[in-house]
Amino acid sequence: MNVLAVADATIMSALAADVIAATIVQKPNAVLGLATGATPMGVYAKLIEKQKENGLSFAGVRSYNLDEYVGLHGNDPQSYRRYMMENLFQHVDIKNENIHVPNGDATDIARECRQYDEQIVADGGIDLQLLGIGNNGHIGFNEPSDHFTLPTHYVEIDASTREANARFFSSIDVVPKAALTVGMGAIMAARAVLLIASVGKADIVERALNGPVTPAVPASILQFHPNTTVIYVK
Ligand code: GLP
């Protein structure tokens, strides 16, 4: 595992964007696993800069987002699909048909999850999986549990995660109670993983990387991933 402890979020974002850009330069049709939350926003801003200033092209890139809130349509301002459109996709030349975000509004949730995994496999698997980390060690919406879940699945969001994410909503009451998330199978099958963590996450990063591997700290499973890079603010 390559672990970089950096001084601030600006450096973290710049380095993470460099890793993603290098992946795209080496493989223009790379499959990227992408994350939402506050942490990747600076990374996406840097990638937009790289497109505008250095001609980095997303024309061949295929993307799979980690998760989506259940019950929110992709056009809902709070949906992760909208977040991705606003923070990255509508500013770069990625093709619409190559964008994938789980459909939290699907009528058949089990089918949606199964097809999402099948599509990832059909596209050759994920070349680079970008991850943030929750205060409780969650990745995607793989919340602390007594077991790791492999496939994309429906999950009830932890009370502490709903509280943390309430800052993006008008009140905690309207934060969805459930989500669809890519499971540990697709994450661990990614050829490379890039975990980023901003100010205030150093303790949970430390527990995930150096503590026991346990589903109680979901990100700890990355200790078993052969090609993981961690960039966190110390
Ligand atoms: C959210 C997302 C995660 C994200 C995490 C941290 O709930 N489901 O994918 O990594 O929480 O978010 P933030 O970067 O805003 O701290």
Side-chain angles (χ1 to χ4, degrees):
M1 197 177 285
N2 310 308
V3 183
L4 288 171
V6 301
D8 61 45
T10 308
I11 301 172
M12 179 206 71
S13 299
L15 287 173
D18 284 347
V19 173
I20 297 169
T23 303
I24 299 171
V25 168
Q26 281 165 24
K27 186 174 177 184
N29 66 342
V31 177
L32 301 181
L34 296 177
T36 51
T39 313
M41 283 183 178
V43 180
Y44 296 147
K46 280 276 169 203
L47 287 173
I48 294 166
E49 244 176 68
K50 287 178 191 293
Q51 159 122 98
K52 292 203 162 60
E53 289 165 18
N54 307 327
L56 176 72
S57 176
F58 291 72
V61 167
R62 288 139 319 144
S63 74
Y64 285 86
N65 261 80
L66 275 170
D67 45 20
E68 182 59 281
Y69 288 115
V70 163
L72 295 194
H73 188 269
N75 284 330
D76 190 291
Q78 306 295 350
S79 73
Y80 282 163
R81 178 176 278 273
R82 261 292 273 282
Y83 166 107
M84 288 307 302
M85 295 310 295
E86 287 171 5
N87 286 289
L88 180 63
F89 295 151
Q90 70 191 26
H91 307 286
V92 296
D93 60 346
I94 191 166
K95 295 195 176 90
N96 218 28
E97 67 265 28
N98 289 339
I99 294 171
H100 305 88
V101 182
N103 178 11
D105 204 25
T107 40
D108 188 341
I109 293 282
R111 184 158 170 261
E112 172 66 18
C113 291
R114 196 175 57 247
Q115 287 182 342
Y116 203 71
D117 282 336
E118 285 168 0
Q119 180 81 51
I120 291 174
V121 171
D123 262 346
I126 291 166
D127 290 300
L128 176 65
Q129 176 65 59
L130 178 66
L131 295 173
I133 183 168
N135 295 314
N136 60 4
H138 74 244
I139 49 180
F141 267 125
N142 291 274
E143 296 281 23
S145 167
D146 58 3
H147 63 284
F148 292 114
T149 303
L150 294 179
T152 295
H153 59 284
Y154 173 97
V155 64
E156 283 179 16
I157 304 171
D158 263 24
S160 68
T161 303
R162 290 185 67 241
E163 270 166 40
N165 290 0
R167 65 195 194 278
F168 298 113
F169 292 80
S170 56
S171 88
I172 183 137
D173 303 328
V174 294
V175 181
K177 296 198 164 65
L180 302 186
T181 184
V182 167
M184 294 305 193
I187 292 172
M188 291 301 282
R191 285 179 268 284
V193 171
L194 174 59
L195 176 77
I196 54 172
S198 196
V199 182
K201 299 272 179 72
D203 286 351
I204 188 63
V205 168
E206 161 72 21
R207 276 178 66 203
L209 302 190
N210 300 320
V213 174
T214 164
V217 183
S220 65
I221 198 173
L222 297 173
Q223 292 182 40
F224 290 148
H225 190 279
N227 185 15
T228 286
T229 299
V230 179
I231 306 173
Y232 75 100
V233 178
K234 59 186 168 205

